[in-house]
Amino acid sequence: MTELMKAKNAVQGSIDCLKDKIQRGIISGSEVVCCTCIGAGGPELKGFSFPLLVLDEGSQASEPEALVPIMKGTRQVIIVGDHKQLPPTVLSPKAAEQGLGVSLFERMMEAGDSGKSYTNEGQATLVARIVTSLVKDHDVQPSSIGCISFYAAQVSLIKSLLHQPNEGTMAVQVASVDGFQGQEKDVIVISTVRSNSGGNIGFLKDPRRLNVAITRAKRLLVVVIIIGDHKQLPPTIQSQKAAEQGLSVSLFERMMEAGVPSTLLGVQYRAHPLLFEFPSARFYSGAVQSGVSPEQRPQLTPPFPPGKGAAGHPPLVFFHDGGSKEEPGDSGKSYKNKSQATLVTHIVTSLVTNHGMQPSGIGCISFYAAQVSLIKSMLQQPSKGGCQQVIGTW
Protein backbone atom coordinates (compact mmCIF):
# COMPACT_ATOMS: atom_id res chain seq x y z
CA MET A 1 0.00 0.00 0.00
CA THR A 2 2.86 2.32 0.88
CA GLU A 3 4.58 1.62 -2.41
CA LEU A 4 1.32 2.29 -4.26
CA MET A 5 0.98 5.70 -2.55
CA LYS A 6 4.56 6.58 -3.41
CA ALA A 7 3.93 5.67 -7.04
CA LYS A 8 0.75 7.74 -7.07
CA ASN A 9 2.51 10.75 -5.60
CA ALA A 10 5.32 10.42 -8.10
CA VAL A 11 2.86 10.32 -11.01
CA GLN A 12 0.93 13.26 -9.56
CA GLY A 13 4.16 15.22 -9.16
CA SER A 14 5.08 14.56 -12.78
CA ILE A 15 1.61 15.66 -13.90
CA ASP A 16 1.82 18.88 -11.85
CA CYS A 17 5.28 19.58 -13.19
CA LEU A 18 4.16 19.00 -16.78
CA LYS A 19 1.02 21.09 -16.19
CA ASP A 20 3.10 23.95 -14.78
CA LYS A 21 5.52 23.72 -17.70
CA ILE A 22 2.69 23.81 -20.24
CA GLN A 23 0.99 26.70 -18.39
CA ARG A 24 4.17 28.78 -18.20
CA GLY A 25 4.85 28.04 -21.87
CA ILE A 26 1.40 29.37 -22.80
CA ILE A 27 1.93 32.50 -20.67
CA SER A 28 5.40 33.08 -22.13
CA GLY A 29 4.00 32.92 -25.65
CA SER A 30 1.05 35.20 -24.94
CA GLU A 31 0.99 38.90 -25.83
CA VAL A 32 -1.83 39.62 -23.34
CA VAL A 33 -2.37 37.93 -19.98
CA CYS A 34 -5.65 38.54 -18.11
CA CYS A 35 -6.02 37.99 -14.37
CA THR A 36 -7.36 39.57 -11.20
CA CYS A 37 -5.27 42.00 -9.19
CA ILE A 38 -4.62 39.45 -6.46
CA GLY A 39 -4.12 36.70 -9.05
CA ALA A 40 -1.17 38.67 -10.43
CA GLY A 41 0.68 37.77 -7.24
CA GLY A 42 -0.14 34.06 -7.48
CA PRO A 43 2.34 31.24 -8.13
CA GLU A 44 1.20 30.90 -11.76
CA LEU A 45 2.74 34.29 -12.61
CA LYS A 46 5.77 34.04 -10.36
CA GLY A 47 8.86 35.24 -12.19
CA PHE A 48 6.91 36.98 -14.96
CA SER A 49 7.10 40.74 -15.54
CA PHE A 50 4.66 42.90 -17.48
CA PRO A 51 5.95 46.29 -18.70
CA LEU A 52 2.44 47.50 -19.64
CA LEU A 53 -0.48 47.12 -17.24
CA VAL A 54 -4.12 47.89 -18.08
CA LEU A 55 -6.18 47.91 -14.89
CA ASP A 56 -9.90 47.65 -15.70
CA GLU A 57 -12.59 48.70 -13.20
CA GLY A 58 -9.78 50.50 -11.40
CA SER A 59 -12.18 52.56 -9.29
CA GLN A 60 -13.28 49.38 -7.49
CA ALA A 61 -9.76 48.19 -6.66
CA SER A 62 -8.31 49.27 -3.34
CA GLU A 63 -4.82 50.71 -3.36
CA PRO A 64 -3.18 47.54 -1.94
CA GLU A 65 -4.98 45.45 -4.60
CA ALA A 66 -3.81 47.75 -7.39
CA LEU A 67 -0.23 47.58 -6.18
CA VAL A 68 -0.02 43.80 -6.66
CA PRO A 69 0.02 43.88 -10.51
CA ILE A 70 1.88 47.21 -10.58
CA MET A 71 4.80 45.53 -8.78
CA LYS A 72 5.21 43.02 -11.62
CA GLY A 73 7.93 45.03 -13.38
CA THR A 74 5.43 47.55 -14.74
CA ARG A 75 6.79 50.63 -16.52
CA GLN A 76 3.48 52.02 -17.79
CA VAL A 77 0.04 51.80 -16.16
CA ILE A 78 -3.36 52.56 -17.69
CA ILE A 79 -6.20 52.62 -15.17
CA VAL A 80 -9.75 52.48 -16.52
CA GLY A 81 -12.66 53.24 -14.22
CA ASP A 82 -15.27 55.68 -12.96
CA HIS A 83 -14.66 57.11 -9.48
CA LYS A 84 -18.27 58.37 -9.42
CA GLN A 85 -19.52 54.78 -9.27
CA LEU A 86 -18.95 52.00 -6.72
CA PRO A 87 -15.79 52.30 -4.58
CA PRO A 88 -13.70 49.36 -3.33
CA THR A 89 -15.51 46.95 -1.03
CA VAL A 90 -13.94 47.31 2.42
CA LEU A 91 -15.57 45.26 5.19
CA SER A 92 -13.43 46.53 8.05
CA PRO A 93 -14.55 49.93 9.45
CA LYS A 94 -11.05 50.48 10.81
CA ALA A 95 -9.52 49.89 7.38
CA ALA A 96 -12.05 52.27 5.82
CA GLU A 97 -11.17 54.95 8.38
CA GLN A 98 -7.51 54.61 7.40
CA GLY A 99 -8.34 55.37 3.77
CA LEU A 100 -8.44 51.89 2.23
CA GLY A 101 -11.94 52.62 0.92
CA VAL A 102 -10.41 55.05 -1.58
CA SER A 103 -9.18 53.50 -4.80
CA LEU A 104 -5.89 54.39 -6.47
CA PHE A 105 -7.96 55.71 -9.38
CA GLU A 106 -9.88 58.15 -7.15
CA ARG A 107 -6.74 59.17 -5.29
CA MET A 108 -5.08 60.12 -8.58
CA MET A 109 -8.16 62.04 -9.71
CA GLU A 110 -8.21 64.01 -6.45
CA ALA A 111 -4.50 64.66 -6.77
CA GLY A 112 -4.88 66.85 -9.78
CA ASP A 113 -8.02 66.93 -11.89
CA SER A 114 -7.58 64.04 -14.30
CA GLY A 115 -3.89 63.59 -13.64
CA LYS A 116 -2.88 67.28 -13.73
CA SER A 117 -0.54 68.68 -11.15
CA TYR A 118 -0.29 72.15 -9.63
CA THR A 119 2.29 74.88 -9.28
CA ASN A 120 2.48 78.07 -7.25
CA GLU A 121 5.13 80.42 -8.63
CA GLY A 122 4.98 82.77 -5.66
CA GLN A 123 5.72 79.96 -3.22
CA ALA A 124 8.42 78.50 -5.46
CA THR A 125 10.18 81.87 -5.67
CA LEU A 126 9.96 82.29 -1.91
CA VAL A 127 11.31 78.79 -1.29
CA ALA A 128 14.26 79.52 -3.59
CA ARG A 129 14.92 82.79 -1.76
CA ILE A 130 14.85 81.09 1.66
CA VAL A 131 17.16 78.27 0.55
CA THR A 132 19.61 80.66 -1.13
CA SER A 133 19.73 82.77 2.03
CA LEU A 134 20.37 79.71 4.19
CA VAL A 135 23.28 78.69 1.98
CA LYS A 136 24.88 82.06 1.27
CA ASP A 137 24.10 84.04 4.41
CA HIS A 138 23.97 81.36 7.10
CA ASP A 139 26.55 78.81 5.87
CA VAL A 140 24.11 75.91 5.74
CA GLN A 141 25.37 73.12 3.49
CA PRO A 142 23.10 72.63 0.44
CA SER A 143 23.23 68.86 0.92
CA SER A 144 21.66 69.25 4.38
CA ILE A 145 18.59 71.07 3.00
CA GLY A 146 15.51 69.40 1.60
CA CYS A 147 12.54 70.96 -0.18
CA ILE A 148 9.25 69.08 -0.12
CA SER A 149 6.09 69.72 -2.12
CA PHE A 150 2.89 67.72 -2.45
CA TYR A 151 2.82 68.15 -6.23
CA ALA A 152 5.21 66.96 -8.92
CA ALA A 153 4.81 70.11 -11.02
CA GLN A 154 5.87 72.26 -8.05
CA VAL A 155 8.84 69.99 -7.45
CA SER A 156 9.94 70.56 -11.06
CA LEU A 157 9.44 74.32 -10.74
CA ILE A 158 11.49 74.58 -7.52
CA LYS A 159 14.22 72.42 -9.06
CA SER A 160 14.43 74.77 -12.04
CA LEU A 161 14.95 77.71 -9.68
CA LEU A 162 17.44 76.04 -7.33
CA HIS A 163 19.45 73.87 -9.68
CA GLN A 164 21.17 76.76 -11.46
CA PRO A 165 24.97 76.41 -11.91
CA ASN A 166 25.82 79.74 -10.27
CA GLU A 167 23.41 79.66 -7.33
CA GLY A 168 25.31 77.23 -5.10
CA THR A 169 22.13 75.26 -4.44
CA MET A 170 22.59 72.36 -6.88
CA ALA A 171 22.94 69.86 -4.02
CA VAL A 172 19.62 70.79 -2.40
CA GLN A 173 17.27 67.82 -2.65
CA VAL A 174 13.83 68.67 -4.01
CA ALA A 175 11.21 65.93 -4.01
CA SER A 176 7.60 65.05 -3.32
CA VAL A 177 6.39 63.78 0.03
CA ASP A 178 6.63 60.22 -1.29
CA GLY A 179 10.18 60.87 -2.46
CA PHE A 180 11.21 61.89 1.06
CA GLN A 181 9.65 58.87 2.78
CA GLY A 182 12.35 57.33 4.97
CA GLN A 183 14.76 60.25 4.50
CA GLU A 184 15.72 63.21 6.69
CA LYS A 185 17.53 66.53 6.39
CA ASP A 186 18.78 69.17 8.81
CA VAL A 187 16.50 71.74 7.18
CA ILE A 188 13.20 71.09 5.48
CA VAL A 189 11.27 73.71 3.49
CA ILE A 190 7.69 72.77 2.61
CA SER A 191 5.75 74.30 -0.28
CA THR A 192 2.05 73.56 0.24
CA VAL A 193 1.13 74.90 -3.26
CA ARG A 194 -2.65 74.98 -2.93
CA SER A 195 -4.26 78.40 -2.52
CA ASN A 196 -7.70 78.98 -4.07
CA SER A 197 -11.07 80.53 -3.33
CA GLY A 198 -12.77 77.13 -3.40
CA GLY A 199 -10.79 75.87 -0.41
CA ASN A 200 -9.55 72.83 -2.37
CA ILE A 201 -6.40 71.51 -0.74
CA GLY A 202 -5.93 68.17 -2.51
CA PHE A 203 -3.14 66.07 -0.99
CA LEU A 204 -2.88 68.39 2.01
CA LYS A 205 -6.01 66.91 3.55
CA ASP A 206 -4.24 63.57 4.00
CA PRO A 207 -2.82 63.66 7.55
CA ARG A 208 -0.37 60.86 6.74
CA ARG A 209 1.30 62.92 4.03
CA LEU A 210 1.47 65.92 6.34
CA ASN A 211 3.00 63.70 9.00
CA VAL A 212 5.73 62.54 6.62
CA ALA A 213 6.43 66.08 5.43
CA ILE A 214 6.80 67.69 8.85
CA THR A 215 8.89 64.91 10.39
CA ARG A 216 11.75 64.96 7.87
CA ALA A 217 13.73 67.71 9.69
CA LYS A 218 16.12 66.18 12.23
CA ARG A 219 17.85 69.10 14.02
CA LEU A 220 16.12 70.66 16.97
CA LEU A 221 17.08 74.23 16.07
CA VAL A 222 15.86 73.98 12.46
CA VAL A 223 12.62 75.73 11.58
CA VAL A 224 10.18 73.74 9.48
CA ILE A 225 8.77 76.44 7.23
CA ILE A 226 5.24 76.31 5.86
CA ILE A 227 4.36 79.32 3.71
CA GLY A 228 1.05 80.95 4.54
CA ASP A 229 -0.75 83.56 6.64
CA HIS A 230 -2.77 82.40 9.65
CA LYS A 231 -4.25 85.92 9.94
CA GLN A 232 -6.20 85.42 6.72
CA LEU A 233 -8.98 82.98 5.72
CA PRO A 234 -8.95 79.58 7.49
CA PRO A 235 -9.71 76.23 5.78
CA THR A 236 -13.20 75.97 4.29
CA ILE A 237 -15.04 73.25 6.25
CA GLN A 238 -18.59 72.36 5.16
CA SER A 239 -19.28 69.83 7.92
CA GLN A 240 -20.23 71.24 11.32
CA LYS A 241 -19.11 67.99 12.95
CA ALA A 242 -15.70 68.22 11.26
CA ALA A 243 -15.34 71.83 12.40
CA GLU A 244 -16.16 70.84 15.99
CA GLN A 245 -13.39 68.23 15.80
CA GLY A 246 -10.87 70.95 14.95
CA LEU A 247 -10.50 70.45 11.20
CA SER A 248 -11.15 74.16 10.60
CA VAL A 249 -7.75 74.92 12.15
CA SER A 250 -4.91 74.72 9.63
CA LEU A 251 -1.61 73.00 10.36
CA PHE A 252 0.03 76.41 9.89
CA GLU A 253 -2.12 78.03 12.59
CA ARG A 254 -1.73 75.10 14.96
CA MET A 255 2.05 75.29 14.67
CA MET A 256 1.96 79.04 15.27
CA GLU A 257 -0.16 78.55 18.41
CA ALA A 258 2.25 75.85 19.60
CA GLY A 259 5.14 78.30 19.44
CA VAL A 260 6.99 76.70 16.52
CA PRO A 261 9.61 79.25 15.35
CA SER A 262 8.53 81.19 12.31
CA THR A 263 9.78 83.95 10.05
CA LEU A 264 7.47 86.87 9.31
CA LEU A 265 7.76 88.24 5.78
CA GLY A 266 7.51 91.85 6.87
CA VAL A 267 6.89 93.60 3.55
CA GLN A 268 3.75 93.68 1.41
CA TYR A 269 3.76 94.76 -2.23
CA ARG A 270 0.06 94.76 -3.12
CA ALA A 271 -1.96 97.51 -1.45
CA HIS A 272 -1.60 101.29 -1.35
CA PRO A 273 0.33 102.21 1.85
CA LEU A 274 -2.68 104.07 3.29
CA LEU A 275 -4.93 101.06 2.68
CA PHE A 276 -2.54 98.74 4.50
CA GLU A 277 -2.14 100.88 7.61
CA PHE A 278 -5.17 99.38 9.35
CA PRO A 279 -4.49 95.64 8.70
CA SER A 280 -0.83 96.15 9.61
CA ALA A 281 -1.77 97.67 12.97
CA ARG A 282 -4.79 95.44 13.68
CA PHE A 283 -3.50 92.01 12.62
CA TYR A 284 0.29 92.25 12.54
CA SER A 285 0.99 94.76 15.36
CA GLY A 286 2.59 97.10 12.83
CA ALA A 287 5.29 94.55 11.95
CA VAL A 288 4.37 94.37 8.23
CA GLN A 289 5.37 97.41 6.20
CA SER A 290 4.55 98.49 2.65
CA GLY A 291 7.10 97.86 -0.05
CA VAL A 292 5.35 100.21 -2.46
CA SER A 293 5.18 103.99 -2.32
CA PRO A 294 2.09 106.17 -2.86
CA GLU A 295 3.64 107.18 -6.20
CA GLN A 296 3.63 103.53 -7.30
CA ARG A 297 -0.06 103.25 -6.44
CA PRO A 298 -1.41 106.57 -7.78
CA GLN A 299 -4.81 107.48 -6.38
CA LEU A 300 -7.76 107.48 -8.75
CA THR A 301 -10.26 110.27 -9.31
CA PRO A 302 -13.41 108.52 -8.13
CA PRO A 303 -17.01 109.28 -9.16
CA PHE A 304 -17.87 110.86 -5.80
CA PRO A 305 -17.04 114.09 -3.93
CA PRO A 306 -13.41 114.58 -2.85
CA GLY A 307 -12.49 113.94 0.75
CA LYS A 308 -9.72 115.15 2.96
CA GLY A 309 -6.11 114.38 2.16
CA ALA A 310 -3.12 115.71 0.32
CA ALA A 311 -4.30 114.42 -3.05
CA GLY A 312 -7.92 115.38 -2.44
CA HIS A 313 -9.16 111.79 -2.85
CA PRO A 314 -8.30 109.19 -0.20
CA PRO A 315 -7.87 105.59 -1.44
CA LEU A 316 -10.51 104.40 1.05
CA VAL A 317 -14.12 105.61 0.89
CA PHE A 318 -17.22 104.54 2.83
CA PHE A 319 -20.77 104.99 1.55
CA HIS A 320 -23.89 105.13 3.72
CA ASP A 321 -26.66 103.25 1.94
CA GLY A 322 -29.45 105.29 3.50
CA GLY A 323 -30.54 102.64 5.96
CA SER A 324 -31.59 100.01 3.40
CA LYS A 325 -32.66 96.56 4.62
CA GLU A 326 -31.41 93.16 3.58
CA GLU A 327 -33.74 90.39 2.44
CA PRO A 328 -33.36 86.62 2.18
CA GLY A 329 -31.90 85.23 -1.02
CA ASP A 330 -33.83 82.84 -3.25
CA SER A 331 -32.44 79.82 -1.42
CA GLY A 332 -33.36 81.24 1.97
CA LYS A 333 -29.81 80.54 3.20
CA SER A 334 -28.16 83.78 2.11
CA TYR A 335 -28.95 87.49 2.02
CA LYS A 336 -29.08 90.30 -0.52
CA ASN A 337 -29.55 94.07 -0.46
CA LYS A 338 -30.94 95.60 -3.66
CA SER A 339 -30.12 99.17 -2.70
CA GLN A 340 -26.48 98.34 -2.06
CA ALA A 341 -26.29 96.29 -5.28
CA THR A 342 -27.68 99.25 -7.25
CA LEU A 343 -25.14 101.59 -5.64
CA VAL A 344 -22.26 99.19 -6.39
CA THR A 345 -23.41 98.94 -10.01
CA HIS A 346 -23.58 102.74 -10.29
CA ILE A 347 -20.04 103.17 -8.92
CA VAL A 348 -18.55 100.46 -11.15
CA THR A 349 -20.35 101.74 -14.27
CA SER A 350 -19.14 105.29 -13.62
CA LEU A 351 -15.55 104.13 -13.09
CA VAL A 352 -15.62 102.35 -16.46
CA THR A 353 -17.62 104.71 -18.64
CA ASN A 354 -16.64 108.10 -17.17
CA HIS A 355 -13.19 107.56 -15.69
CA GLY A 356 -11.50 105.28 -18.19
CA MET A 357 -10.94 102.28 -15.90
CA GLN A 358 -10.65 98.81 -17.40
CA PRO A 359 -13.35 96.39 -16.13
CA SER A 360 -10.63 93.78 -15.54
CA GLY A 361 -9.03 96.16 -13.05
CA ILE A 362 -12.11 96.25 -10.81
CA GLY A 363 -13.25 93.66 -8.28
CA CYS A 364 -16.52 93.52 -6.35
CA ILE A 365 -16.70 91.52 -3.11
CA SER A 366 -19.65 90.52 -0.96
CA PHE A 367 -19.91 88.27 2.08
CA TYR A 368 -23.10 86.65 0.79
CA ALA A 369 -23.60 84.46 -2.28
CA ALA A 370 -27.08 85.90 -2.97
CA GLN A 371 -25.63 89.42 -3.13
CA VAL A 372 -22.87 88.23 -5.45
CA SER A 373 -25.50 86.79 -7.82
CA LEU A 374 -27.56 90.00 -7.70
CA ILE A 375 -24.60 92.27 -8.48
CA LYS A 376 -23.54 89.93 -11.28
CA SER A 377 -27.02 90.12 -12.83
CA MET A 378 -26.89 93.93 -12.77
CA LEU A 379 -23.37 94.24 -14.16
CA GLN A 380 -24.06 91.75 -16.95
CA GLN A 381 -26.51 94.11 -18.61
CA PRO A 382 -25.23 95.20 -22.06
CA SER A 383 -25.96 98.83 -21.21
CA LYS A 384 -23.31 98.82 -18.47
CA GLY A 385 -20.46 99.57 -20.86
CA GLY A 386 -18.66 96.23 -20.67
CA CYS A 387 -18.93 95.97 -16.89
CA GLN A 388 -19.91 92.32 -17.22
CA GLN A 389 -16.15 91.67 -17.39
CA VAL A 390 -15.86 92.73 -13.76
CA ILE A 391 -17.46 89.50 -12.57
CA GLY A 392 -14.53 87.59 -13.98
CA THR A 393 -12.39 88.84 -11.11
CA TRP A 394 -14.61 87.36 -8.38
Side-chain angles (χ1 to χ4, degrees):
M1 189 67 177
T2 302
E3 293 298 325
L4 185 60
M5 289 296 297
K6 287 182 179 181
K8 178 187 175 184
N9 291 338
V11 172
Q12 186 63 52
S14 299
I15 293 174
D16 291 342
C17 184
L18 181 60
K19 179 181 176 181
D20 182 67
K21 186 176 181 180
I22 294 173
Q23 192 175 59
R24 296 184 72 82
I26 293 173
I27 295 173
S28 298
S30 300
E31 295 185 356
V32 178
V33 176
C34 299
C35 65
T36 64
C37 288
I38 301 302
E44 296 84 2
L45 296 179
K46 185 177 181 180
F48 286 100
S49 61
F50 302 95
L52 173 62
L53 169 66
V54 179
L55 184 58
D56 193 20
E57 294 293 351
S59 56
Q60 288 189 274
S62 67
E63 289 179 294
E65 283 181 294
L67 286 175
V68 175
I70 290 175
M71 297 301 292
K72 300 289 291 184
T74 301
R75 295 196 297 269
Q76 185 176 8
V77 181
I78 300 172
I79 305 179
V80 182
D82 184 353
H83 65 298
K84 299 296 184 181
Q85 296 191 23
L86 292 177
T89 300
V90 178
L91 300 179
S92 167
K94 188 173 182 180
E97 290 172 2
Q98 295 298 316
L100 292 183
V102 180
S103 67
L104 177 63
F105 186 95
E106 184 175 0
R107 187 88 63 190
M108 294 176 68
M109 292 292 292
E110 290 178 352
D113 298 333
S114 302
K116 294 180 182 177
S117 192
Y118 291 91
T119 60
N120 186 316
E121 292 187 10
Q123 284 193 13
T125 301
L126 188 52
V127 167
R129 189 188 310 166
I130 292 169
V131 170
T132 302
S133 178
L134 286 169
V135 173
K136 293 185 176 181
D137 303 331
H138 301 277
D139 298 324
V140 179
Q141 292 298 313
S143 59
S144 66
I145 302 174
C147 295
I148 298 177
S149 180
F150 296 83
Y151 292 93
Q154 185 76 347
V155 168
S156 298
L157 178 57
I158 295 173
K159 281 183 177 179
S160 70
L161 297 176
L162 288 177
H163 294 174
Q164 299 291 333
N166 300 323
E167 292 300 322
T169 53
M170 291 285 289
V172 174
Q173 183 179 357
V174 186
S176 65
V177 178
D178 303 85
F180 260 98
Q181 177 76 39
Q183 299 190 59
E184 56 186 22
K185 293 286 183 179
D186 286 340
V187 180
I188 289 291
V189 182
I190 300 174
S191 175
T192 55
V193 179
R194 303 305 294 273
S195 177
N196 55 79
S197 59
N200 300 315
I201 59 174
F203 275 138
L204 276 69
K205 66 184 178 183
D206 187 342
R208 295 167 298 180
R209 290 181 176 274
L210 282 175
N211 183 40
V212 171
I214 65 178
T215 55
R216 299 306 95 190
K218 65 180 183 179
R219 290 179 55 188
L220 182 61
L221 298 178
V222 172
V223 178
V224 178
I225 304 168
I226 298 180
I227 302 164
D229 186 351
H230 67 299
K231 299 292 187 181
Q232 296 193 20
L233 293 178
T236 301
I237 303 296
Q238 305 289 347
S239 166
Q240 181 64 32
K241 187 174 181 180
E244 292 172 355
Q245 295 297 317
L247 292 184
S248 60
V249 181
S250 68
L251 174 67
F252 187 97
E253 183 173 359
R254 206 175 294 282
M255 293 175 71
M256 291 293 293
E257 292 176 349
V260 175
S262 63
T263 300
L264 176 68
L265 302 178
V267 183
Q268 69 88 22
Y269 296 92
R270 180 185 295 122
H272 188 288
L274 292 178
L275 290 176
F276 195 72
E277 283 183 357
F278 171 73
S280 178
R282 173 64 178 83
F283 299 108
Y284 305 102
S285 302
V288 180
Q289 304 299 317
S290 290
V292 292
S293 65
E295 291 74 25
Q296 291 173 298
R297 295 288 185 271
Q299 297 177 10
L300 302 170
T301 302
F304 30 80
K308 298 178 181 180
H313 295 284
L316 177 62
V317 178
F318 289 92
F319 269 91
H320 189 275
D321 64 2
S324 61
K325 299 293 183 181
E326 82 272 8
E327 57 184 280
D330 296 336
S331 66
K333 297 181 180 180
S334 188
Y335 293 92
K336 60 185 179 181
N337 186 312
K338 292 183 179 179
S339 295
Q340 287 190 10
T342 301
L343 182 57
V344 168
T345 303
H346 170 74
I347 293 171
V348 170
T349 303
S350 182
L351 285 169
V352 172
T353 58
N354 301 329
H355 298 270
M357 284 204 65
Q358 292 296 316
S360 59
I362 304 173
C364 297
I365 298 176
S366 178
F367 294 89
Y368 294 94
Q371 186 75 348
V372 169
S373 298
L374 179 58
I375 297 174
K376 280 184 177 181
S377 68
M378 292 183 173
L379 290 176
Q380 283 178 329
Q381 300 298 322
S383 61
K384 299 305 177 185
C387 291
Q388 62 266 29
Q389 296 180 35
V390 175
I391 65 172
T393 64
W394 295 350

